[in-house]
Amino acid sequence: MSTLRCYACDREAQSPLVRCVCGEPLWFDIESRAVNWPDASSSDLWGYADLLPTAAPRGLAATVGGTSLFRTERLDEYAGCHVWLKDETINPTGSFKDRGSAVGVAWASSRSYGTVGTVSHGNMAISVAAMAASVGLDALVLVPADVPEERLVHAAHYGPTLLRVEGNYGQLYTDSLALGEEHGAVMLNSDVPLRTAGAKTIAYEICRHGRVSPDAIVLPVSSGGHASAIWKGCRELQAAGLLDRIPRLLLIQAAGCGPIAAADRDGRETVSPVEPAETIAYSIANADPPSGTRALTAARETGGTVISVPDDEIREALDRLGTRTGMSVEPASATALAGLRSLARSGRIDPEDEVVLVMTGTGMRDAAGATPDVPVVHRSELGKWMDEAL
Ligand SMILES: *Cc1c(COP(=O)(O)O)cnc(C)c1O
Ligand SMILES: [Zn+2]
Protein backbone atom coordinates (compact mmCIF):
# COMPACT_ATOMS: atom_id res chain seq x y z
CA MET A 1 0.00 0.00 0.00
CA SER A 2 1.13 3.51 -0.60
CA THR A 3 1.29 6.36 1.89
CA LEU A 4 0.99 10.06 1.15
CA ARG A 5 4.00 11.96 2.36
CA CYS A 6 5.68 15.36 2.08
CA TYR A 7 9.24 15.29 0.70
CA ALA A 8 10.09 18.46 2.62
CA CYS A 9 8.85 17.91 6.19
CA ASP A 10 8.20 14.14 6.07
CA ARG A 11 4.65 14.50 7.41
CA GLU A 12 2.12 11.86 6.38
CA ALA A 13 -1.20 12.96 4.94
CA GLN A 14 -4.57 11.34 4.20
CA SER A 15 -6.02 13.01 1.11
CA PRO A 16 -4.22 13.11 -2.26
CA LEU A 17 -6.42 16.05 -3.21
CA VAL A 18 -4.65 18.67 -1.07
CA ARG A 19 -1.10 19.85 -0.28
CA CYS A 20 0.91 19.25 2.87
CA VAL A 21 0.11 21.52 5.82
CA CYS A 22 3.63 22.97 5.37
CA GLY A 23 2.54 24.21 1.93
CA GLU A 24 4.69 21.90 -0.18
CA PRO A 25 3.24 19.25 -2.52
CA LEU A 26 2.68 15.65 -1.40
CA TRP A 27 3.53 12.44 -3.23
CA PHE A 28 2.72 8.75 -2.79
CA ASP A 29 5.43 6.72 -1.06
CA ILE A 30 5.62 3.01 -1.71
CA GLU A 31 7.39 0.34 0.28
CA SER A 32 10.71 -0.21 -1.43
CA ARG A 33 10.50 -3.96 -1.08
CA ALA A 34 7.44 -3.73 -3.33
CA VAL A 35 9.65 -2.55 -6.19
CA ASN A 36 10.40 -5.28 -8.67
CA TRP A 37 10.64 -5.10 -12.42
CA PRO A 38 7.36 -6.33 -13.91
CA ASP A 39 7.50 -9.13 -16.43
CA ALA A 40 8.54 -8.08 -19.90
CA SER A 41 5.14 -8.77 -21.46
CA SER A 42 3.55 -5.53 -20.22
CA SER A 43 4.21 -2.69 -22.62
CA ASP A 44 2.36 0.17 -20.91
CA LEU A 45 2.70 1.94 -17.55
CA TRP A 46 0.14 -0.41 -15.94
CA GLY A 47 2.80 -3.08 -15.90
CA TYR A 48 3.90 -1.11 -12.82
CA ALA A 49 0.40 -1.13 -11.28
CA ASP A 50 1.74 -2.62 -8.03
CA LEU A 51 3.77 0.57 -7.58
CA LEU A 52 0.85 2.88 -8.34
CA PRO A 53 -1.97 4.06 -6.05
CA THR A 54 -4.67 2.48 -8.22
CA ALA A 55 -5.34 -0.49 -10.49
CA ALA A 56 -5.52 -0.22 -14.29
CA PRO A 57 -8.64 1.22 -15.90
CA ARG A 58 -10.10 -0.01 -19.20
CA GLY A 59 -10.00 1.64 -22.59
CA LEU A 60 -7.51 4.17 -23.91
CA ALA A 61 -6.21 5.13 -20.44
CA ALA A 62 -5.04 1.53 -20.09
CA THR A 63 -2.67 1.96 -23.04
CA VAL A 64 -0.64 4.95 -21.79
CA GLY A 65 3.15 4.72 -21.40
CA GLY A 66 5.60 2.13 -22.63
CA THR A 67 7.09 4.76 -24.94
CA SER A 68 10.25 4.24 -26.93
CA LEU A 69 13.77 5.04 -25.78
CA PHE A 70 16.40 5.15 -28.47
CA ARG A 71 19.95 6.21 -29.16
CA THR A 72 20.42 8.93 -31.77
CA GLU A 73 24.09 9.45 -32.74
CA ARG A 74 23.18 12.18 -35.19
CA LEU A 75 22.63 14.62 -32.33
CA ASP A 76 25.85 13.85 -30.46
CA GLU A 77 27.99 16.52 -32.04
CA TYR A 78 25.36 19.23 -31.58
CA ALA A 79 24.52 18.18 -28.01
CA GLY A 80 28.12 17.48 -26.98
CA CYS A 81 27.58 14.00 -25.53
CA HIS A 82 25.92 10.62 -26.25
CA VAL A 83 22.24 11.31 -26.76
CA TRP A 84 19.21 9.11 -26.08
CA LEU A 85 15.63 10.24 -26.61
CA LYS A 86 12.62 9.13 -24.55
CA ASP A 87 9.71 9.72 -26.90
CA GLU A 88 6.70 10.77 -24.85
CA THR A 89 5.02 12.23 -27.94
CA ILE A 90 3.65 8.78 -28.79
CA ASN A 91 1.27 8.75 -25.83
CA PRO A 92 -2.43 8.87 -26.84
CA THR A 93 -2.75 12.66 -26.75
CA GLY A 94 0.86 13.40 -27.65
CA SER A 95 2.44 14.29 -24.31
CA PHE A 96 3.70 12.76 -21.06
CA LYS A 97 0.70 14.37 -19.33
CA ASP A 98 -1.30 11.24 -20.28
CA ARG A 99 0.56 9.22 -17.64
CA GLY A 100 -0.67 11.35 -14.74
CA SER A 101 -4.09 11.79 -16.29
CA ALA A 102 -4.51 8.03 -16.75
CA VAL A 103 -3.59 7.31 -13.13
CA GLY A 104 -5.82 10.19 -12.03
CA VAL A 105 -8.93 9.04 -13.89
CA ALA A 106 -8.36 5.43 -12.84
CA TRP A 107 -8.18 6.47 -9.19
CA ALA A 108 -11.21 8.77 -9.47
CA SER A 109 -13.43 6.21 -11.16
CA SER A 110 -12.41 3.42 -8.78
CA ARG A 111 -13.58 5.67 -5.93
CA SER A 112 -16.85 6.54 -7.67
CA TYR A 113 -16.12 10.19 -8.36
CA GLY A 114 -18.06 11.56 -11.30
CA THR A 115 -15.81 14.45 -12.28
CA VAL A 116 -12.11 15.14 -12.74
CA GLY A 117 -10.71 18.53 -13.62
CA THR A 118 -7.65 20.61 -14.28
CA VAL A 119 -6.37 24.16 -14.60
CA SER A 120 -4.81 24.31 -18.06
CA HIS A 121 -5.36 25.46 -21.61
CA GLY A 122 -2.64 23.29 -23.09
CA ASN A 123 -1.51 19.66 -23.08
CA MET A 124 -2.87 18.93 -19.61
CA ALA A 125 -6.36 20.15 -20.58
CA ILE A 126 -6.32 17.94 -23.68
CA SER A 127 -5.00 14.96 -21.75
CA VAL A 128 -7.42 15.19 -18.81
CA ALA A 129 -10.39 15.64 -21.15
CA ALA A 130 -9.39 12.63 -23.28
CA MET A 131 -8.57 10.29 -20.41
CA ALA A 132 -11.79 11.25 -18.60
CA ALA A 133 -13.76 10.47 -21.75
CA SER A 134 -12.03 7.11 -22.03
CA VAL A 135 -13.38 5.95 -18.65
CA GLY A 136 -16.71 7.80 -18.75
CA LEU A 137 -15.99 10.59 -16.26
CA ASP A 138 -16.96 14.23 -16.74
CA ALA A 139 -14.06 16.65 -17.10
CA LEU A 140 -13.97 20.26 -15.93
CA VAL A 141 -11.27 22.33 -17.61
CA LEU A 142 -10.60 25.80 -16.21
CA VAL A 143 -8.96 28.13 -18.73
CA PRO A 144 -7.95 31.79 -18.50
CA ALA A 145 -10.68 34.23 -19.54
CA ASP A 146 -8.51 35.74 -22.26
CA VAL A 147 -7.42 32.52 -24.04
CA PRO A 148 -8.40 32.59 -27.73
CA GLU A 149 -11.18 30.03 -28.35
CA GLU A 150 -9.37 28.43 -31.27
CA ARG A 151 -6.72 27.30 -28.78
CA LEU A 152 -9.35 25.16 -27.06
CA VAL A 153 -10.38 23.18 -30.13
CA HIS A 154 -8.28 20.12 -29.27
CA ALA A 155 -9.53 19.85 -25.69
CA ALA A 156 -13.13 20.54 -26.79
CA HIS A 157 -13.01 17.49 -29.06
CA TYR A 158 -13.30 15.21 -26.00
CA GLY A 159 -16.41 16.94 -24.67
CA PRO A 160 -15.21 18.41 -21.34
CA THR A 161 -16.94 21.30 -19.60
CA LEU A 162 -14.70 24.23 -20.53
CA LEU A 163 -14.95 27.30 -18.33
CA ARG A 164 -13.19 30.63 -18.79
CA VAL A 165 -12.19 31.97 -15.38
CA GLU A 166 -11.65 35.68 -14.80
CA GLY A 167 -9.37 36.97 -12.04
CA ASN A 168 -5.88 35.82 -11.08
CA TYR A 169 -5.34 32.58 -13.04
CA GLY A 170 -2.18 31.65 -11.10
CA GLN A 171 -4.13 31.66 -7.85
CA LEU A 172 -6.58 29.20 -9.35
CA TYR A 173 -4.17 26.31 -8.86
CA THR A 174 -4.76 26.47 -5.09
CA ASP A 175 -8.39 27.59 -5.20
CA SER A 176 -9.37 24.75 -7.48
CA LEU A 177 -7.80 22.06 -5.27
CA ALA A 178 -9.87 23.22 -2.31
CA LEU A 179 -13.03 23.76 -4.35
CA GLY A 180 -12.62 20.40 -6.08
CA GLU A 181 -12.36 18.60 -2.74
CA GLU A 182 -15.41 20.42 -1.47
CA HIS A 183 -17.49 19.74 -4.59
CA GLY A 184 -16.43 16.17 -5.30
CA ALA A 185 -14.26 16.84 -8.36
CA VAL A 186 -10.77 15.31 -8.46
CA MET A 187 -8.52 18.13 -9.65
CA LEU A 188 -5.61 16.69 -11.60
CA ASN A 189 -3.45 19.81 -11.52
CA SER A 190 0.18 19.82 -12.66
CA ASP A 191 1.93 18.29 -9.65
CA VAL A 192 -0.76 16.54 -7.58
CA PRO A 193 0.23 13.14 -6.11
CA LEU A 194 -1.81 11.14 -8.65
CA ARG A 195 -0.06 12.92 -11.51
CA THR A 196 3.38 12.45 -9.97
CA ALA A 197 2.66 8.75 -9.51
CA GLY A 198 1.82 8.38 -13.19
CA ALA A 199 4.82 10.32 -14.46
CA LYS A 200 7.37 8.51 -12.26
CA THR A 201 6.94 5.52 -14.58
CA ILE A 202 9.03 7.43 -17.14
CA ALA A 203 12.00 6.95 -14.79
CA TYR A 204 11.17 3.26 -14.42
CA GLU A 205 11.04 2.83 -18.19
CA ILE A 206 14.34 4.66 -18.78
CA CYS A 207 16.23 2.69 -16.14
CA ARG A 208 14.47 -0.59 -16.87
CA HIS A 209 15.66 -0.63 -20.41
CA GLY A 210 19.09 -1.91 -19.42
CA ARG A 211 20.69 -0.64 -22.60
CA VAL A 212 21.59 2.65 -20.97
CA SER A 213 22.53 3.65 -17.47
CA PRO A 214 22.25 7.40 -17.90
CA ASP A 215 24.70 9.86 -16.39
CA ALA A 216 22.02 12.52 -16.69
CA ILE A 217 18.36 12.99 -17.60
CA VAL A 218 17.37 16.32 -19.18
CA LEU A 219 13.88 17.76 -19.15
CA PRO A 220 12.04 20.99 -19.74
CA VAL A 221 10.47 22.20 -16.50
CA SER A 222 7.48 24.38 -15.76
CA SER A 223 5.37 23.50 -12.68
CA GLY A 224 8.09 21.10 -11.50
CA GLY A 225 5.68 18.16 -11.38
CA HIS A 226 7.43 16.14 -14.07
CA ALA A 227 10.90 16.72 -12.58
CA SER A 228 9.62 15.70 -9.14
CA ALA A 229 8.18 12.52 -10.63
CA ILE A 230 11.42 11.50 -12.37
CA TRP A 231 13.29 12.11 -9.12
CA LYS A 232 10.73 10.07 -7.20
CA GLY A 233 10.89 7.14 -9.62
CA CYS A 234 14.71 7.07 -9.46
CA ARG A 235 14.69 7.26 -5.65
CA GLU A 236 12.35 4.29 -5.45
CA LEU A 237 14.52 2.23 -7.78
CA GLN A 238 17.64 3.11 -5.83
CA ALA A 239 16.01 2.27 -2.49
CA ALA A 240 15.00 -1.11 -3.90
CA GLY A 241 18.54 -1.81 -5.10
CA LEU A 242 17.55 -1.67 -8.78
CA LEU A 243 19.56 1.46 -9.60
CA ASP A 244 23.14 2.07 -8.47
CA ARG A 245 23.17 5.83 -8.72
CA ILE A 246 20.52 8.38 -9.54
CA PRO A 247 21.30 10.23 -12.79
CA ARG A 248 21.92 13.96 -12.50
CA LEU A 249 18.68 15.81 -13.20
CA LEU A 250 19.27 18.71 -15.59
CA LEU A 251 16.21 20.92 -15.66
CA ILE A 252 15.79 23.47 -18.43
CA GLN A 253 13.57 26.54 -18.56
CA ALA A 254 12.99 29.25 -21.15
CA ALA A 255 14.78 32.52 -20.44
CA GLY A 256 11.43 34.32 -20.73
CA CYS A 257 10.08 32.47 -17.70
CA GLY A 258 12.70 30.81 -15.50
CA PRO A 259 11.83 31.13 -11.79
CA ILE A 260 13.46 27.81 -10.83
CA ALA A 261 16.64 28.55 -12.81
CA ALA A 262 16.82 31.98 -11.15
CA ALA A 263 16.57 30.44 -7.69
CA ASP A 264 19.31 27.91 -8.52
CA ARG A 265 21.60 30.58 -9.93
CA ASP A 266 21.11 32.82 -6.88
CA GLY A 267 21.72 29.94 -4.48
CA ARG A 268 18.28 30.32 -2.92
CA GLU A 269 16.57 27.47 -1.03
CA THR A 270 13.09 28.20 -2.36
CA VAL A 271 11.59 29.36 -5.64
CA SER A 272 9.68 32.62 -5.82
CA PRO A 273 7.39 33.85 -8.63
CA VAL A 274 8.73 35.92 -11.52
CA GLU A 275 7.13 38.34 -13.94
CA PRO A 276 6.76 36.23 -17.11
CA ALA A 277 7.95 37.47 -20.50
CA GLU A 278 7.07 36.00 -23.90
CA THR A 279 8.64 32.69 -24.98
CA ILE A 280 7.97 30.29 -27.84
CA ALA A 281 8.10 27.49 -25.25
CA TYR A 282 4.50 28.23 -24.23
CA SER A 283 4.01 24.90 -22.39
CA ILE A 284 6.68 25.72 -19.81
CA ALA A 285 5.77 29.27 -18.91
CA ASN A 286 4.62 28.81 -15.30
CA ALA A 287 5.82 31.93 -13.48
CA ASP A 288 4.79 30.60 -10.04
CA PRO A 289 5.56 26.86 -10.16
CA PRO A 290 3.75 24.88 -7.44
CA SER A 291 6.53 22.27 -7.36
CA GLY A 292 9.33 24.73 -8.06
CA THR A 293 11.10 24.24 -4.77
CA ARG A 294 10.74 20.44 -5.01
CA ALA A 295 12.22 20.47 -8.54
CA LEU A 296 15.08 22.68 -7.36
CA THR A 297 15.72 20.19 -4.55
CA ALA A 298 15.68 17.32 -7.07
CA ALA A 299 18.31 19.01 -9.22
CA ARG A 300 20.57 19.81 -6.26
CA GLU A 301 20.25 16.43 -4.53
CA THR A 302 21.19 14.58 -7.71
CA GLY A 303 24.17 16.81 -8.51
CA GLY A 304 22.28 18.42 -11.39
CA THR A 305 21.35 21.99 -12.12
CA VAL A 306 18.57 24.24 -13.44
CA ILE A 307 19.34 26.66 -16.27
CA SER A 308 17.39 28.73 -18.76
CA VAL A 309 17.94 29.19 -22.49
CA PRO A 310 16.86 31.97 -24.87
CA ASP A 311 14.26 31.47 -27.62
CA ASP A 312 16.75 31.61 -30.50
CA GLU A 313 18.58 28.60 -29.04
CA ILE A 314 15.26 26.79 -28.55
CA ARG A 315 14.38 27.49 -32.19
CA GLU A 316 17.72 26.11 -33.37
CA ALA A 317 17.33 22.96 -31.23
CA LEU A 318 13.82 22.47 -32.61
CA ASP A 319 15.24 22.61 -36.11
CA ARG A 320 17.99 20.09 -35.27
CA LEU A 321 15.45 17.66 -33.82
CA GLY A 322 13.52 17.79 -37.08
CA THR A 323 16.43 17.63 -39.48
CA ARG A 324 18.72 15.28 -37.55
CA THR A 325 16.31 12.88 -35.79
CA GLY A 326 12.99 13.02 -37.65
CA MET A 327 11.17 14.09 -34.49
CA SER A 328 8.36 16.64 -34.41
CA VAL A 329 8.17 18.10 -30.92
CA GLU A 330 6.86 21.34 -29.53
CA PRO A 331 9.25 24.15 -28.56
CA ALA A 332 9.02 23.24 -24.86
CA SER A 333 10.58 19.84 -25.60
CA ALA A 334 13.32 21.31 -27.77
CA THR A 335 14.29 23.43 -24.76
CA ALA A 336 15.85 20.30 -23.24
CA LEU A 337 18.23 19.90 -26.18
CA ALA A 338 19.11 23.60 -26.18
CA GLY A 339 19.91 23.37 -22.48
CA LEU A 340 22.01 20.24 -22.90
CA ARG A 341 24.08 21.90 -25.63
CA SER A 342 24.64 24.90 -23.41
CA LEU A 343 25.73 22.72 -20.47
CA ALA A 344 28.12 20.72 -22.66
CA ARG A 345 29.66 23.89 -24.06
CA SER A 346 30.32 25.22 -20.59
CA GLY A 347 31.99 21.93 -19.63
CA ARG A 348 29.30 20.74 -17.24
CA ILE A 349 28.60 17.69 -19.43
CA ASP A 350 31.37 15.35 -20.53
CA PRO A 351 31.52 14.24 -24.21
CA GLU A 352 31.46 10.62 -23.00
CA ASP A 353 28.33 11.10 -20.86
CA GLU A 354 25.23 9.06 -21.75
CA VAL A 355 22.31 11.47 -21.53
CA VAL A 356 18.56 10.87 -21.89
CA LEU A 357 16.39 13.75 -23.11
CA VAL A 358 12.67 13.47 -22.46
CA MET A 359 10.71 14.60 -25.52
CA THR A 360 7.68 15.77 -23.55
CA GLY A 361 5.17 16.82 -26.21
CA THR A 362 4.34 16.49 -29.89
CA GLY A 363 4.73 19.17 -32.54
CA MET A 364 2.07 17.56 -34.71
CA ARG A 365 -1.19 19.05 -33.54
CA ASP A 366 -3.17 20.37 -36.47
CA ALA A 367 -6.31 22.38 -35.99
CA ALA A 368 -9.46 20.27 -36.16
CA GLY A 369 -13.10 20.62 -35.22
CA ALA A 370 -15.24 23.64 -34.48
CA THR A 371 -14.27 26.51 -32.19
CA PRO A 372 -16.07 25.91 -28.86
CA ASP A 373 -18.34 28.42 -27.15
CA VAL A 374 -17.03 28.80 -23.58
CA PRO A 375 -18.90 30.51 -20.69
CA VAL A 376 -17.13 33.01 -18.39
CA VAL A 377 -17.14 33.17 -14.58
CA HIS A 378 -15.10 35.22 -12.10
CA ARG A 379 -12.66 33.33 -9.86
CA SER A 380 -14.56 34.41 -6.76
CA GLU A 381 -17.77 32.91 -8.18
CA LEU A 382 -16.26 29.54 -9.07
CA GLY A 383 -17.56 27.75 -5.94
CA LYS A 384 -21.07 28.97 -6.64
CA TRP A 385 -20.75 27.90 -10.24
CA MET A 386 -19.63 24.41 -9.17
CA ASP A 387 -22.60 24.19 -6.80
CA GLU A 388 -24.93 24.58 -9.72
CA ALA A 389 -23.00 22.74 -12.38
CA LEU A 390 -21.44 19.68 -10.75
C1 LIG B 1 3.58 20.22 -19.00
C2 LIG B 1 4.72 20.19 -19.96
C3 LIG B 1 6.05 20.40 -19.54
C4 LIG B 1 6.41 20.80 -18.13
O1 LIG B 1 6.09 19.87 -17.14
P1 LIG B 1 5.90 20.33 -15.61
O2 LIG B 1 5.49 19.10 -14.90
O3 LIG B 1 4.84 21.39 -15.58
O4 LIG B 1 7.20 20.88 -15.12
C5 LIG B 1 7.05 20.27 -20.49
N1 LIG B 1 6.78 19.98 -21.77
C6 LIG B 1 5.52 19.78 -22.21
C7 LIG B 1 5.29 19.47 -23.66
C8 LIG B 1 4.45 19.88 -21.33
O5 LIG B 1 3.20 19.67 -21.76
ZN1 LIG C 1 5.33 19.23 4.42
Side-chain angles (χ1 to χ4, degrees):
M1 266 322 285
S2 39
T3 318
L4 278 160
R5 196 181 296 280
C6 173
Y7 81 99
C9 73
D10 211 39
R11 276 192 191 87
E12 268 189 40
Q14 298 310 318
S15 168
L17 307 181
V18 296
R19 287 169 76 93
C20 180
V21 290
C22 82
E24 281 296 288
L26 298 163
W27 59 23
F28 284 101
D29 257 357
I30 53 165
E31 285 180 46
S32 57
R33 64 182 161 74
V35 182
N36 265 310
W37 294 125
D39 65 52
S41 62
S42 48
S43 61
D44 51 66
L45 72 79
W46 297 104
Y48 300 102
D50 287 352
L51 314 179
L52 297 173
T54 180
R58 291 185 187 273
L60 189 68
T63 73
V64 172
T67 62
S68 32
L69 172 71
F70 60 95
R71 175 84 174 90
T72 174
E73 287 86 354
R74 277 171 51 75
L75 275 183
D76 288 4
E77 194 189 329
Y78 184 71
C81 58
H82 296 169
V83 181
W84 296 73
L85 299 181
K86 178 66 174 157
D87 185 7
E88 287 296 298
T89 73
I90 61 182
N91 279 303
T93 75
S95 84
F96 80 93
K97 297 287 198 305
D98 285 343
R99 294 181 187 259
S101 305
V103 169
V105 300
W107 187 90
S109 60
S110 74
R111 277 163 183 73
S112 305
Y113 282 90
T115 306
V116 292
T118 198
V119 177
S120 166
H121 49 102
N123 293 329
M124 195 159 56
I126 294 167
S127 177
V128 168
M131 292 302 132
S134 82
V135 299
L137 290 173
D138 292 332
L140 170 63
V141 176
L142 306 176
V143 304
D146 58 2
V147 71
E149 278 173 358
E150 61 268 20
R151 294 258 295 277
L152 304 176
V153 168
H154 290 288
H157 173 67
Y158 306 105
T161 299
L162 285 158
L163 185 67
R164 313 168 75 105
V165 186
E166 295 174 324
N168 184 332
Y169 189 69
Q171 192 56 42
L172 206 54
Y173 167 91
T174 324
D175 290 359
S176 65
L177 289 183
L179 286 168
E181 237 222 333
E182 201 177 306
H183 293 264
V186 177
M187 292 305 292
L188 300 174
N189 293 354
S190 52
D191 66 340
V192 297
L194 290 162
R195 196 166 276 295
T196 314
K200 77 178 179 181
T201 58
I202 298 175
Y204 295 167
E205 290 177 16
I206 290 173
C207 300
R208 165 76 189 272
H209 227 269
R211 285 192 292 137
V212 57
S213 73
D215 296 293
I217 300 178
V218 193
L219 30 139
V221 55
S222 184
S223 71
H226 182 206
S228 304
I230 302 275
W231 186 38
K232 181 74 170 101
C234 290
R235 282 163 55 122
E236 290 174 353
L237 294 176
Q238 191 187 40
L242 296 171
L243 181 67
D244 291 341
R245 90 196 129 84
I246 296 184
R248 276 174 287 156
L249 295 186
L250 308 175
L251 311 183
I252 319 296
Q253 300 207 281
C257 189
I260 311 173
D264 196 25
R265 186 195 53 219
D266 300 345
R268 278 183 275 131
E269 292 300 312
T270 57
V271 174
S272 26
V274 294
E275 209 44 63
E278 279 295 299
T279 169
I280 59 164
Y282 47 84
S283 288
I284 51 167
N286 193 328
D288 186 7
S291 274
T293 299
R294 189 166 62 172
L296 178 66
T297 310
R300 289 196 178 145
E301 297 261 313
T302 60
T305 185
V306 194
I307 63 161
S308 63
V309 288
D311 276 10
D312 55 340
E313 291 175 22
I314 298 172
R315 246 182 230 107
E316 190 185 80
L318 192 61
D319 173 77
R320 290 304 187 285
L321 281 162
T323 58
R324 302 196 69 92
T325 74
M327 294 276 301
S328 172
V329 298
E330 61 168 87
S333 305
T335 304
L337 176 59
L340 177 58
R341 175 175 163 87
S342 162
L343 289 168
R345 289 187 141 192
S346 62
R348 282 182 285 174
I349 288 287
D350 189 88
E352 293 306 314
D353 280 350
E354 304 280 334
V355 179
V356 177
L357 280 96
V358 184
M359 294 289 105
T360 48
T362 183
M364 287 211 269
R365 283 199 208 291
D366 30 1
T371 307
D373 190 13
V374 186
V376 186
V377 75
H378 190 270
R379 184 167 72 84
S380 57
E381 303 283 312
L382 183 57
K384 208 170 111 211
W385 183 91
M386 284 184 173
D387 258 343
E388 286 158 19
L390 298 187

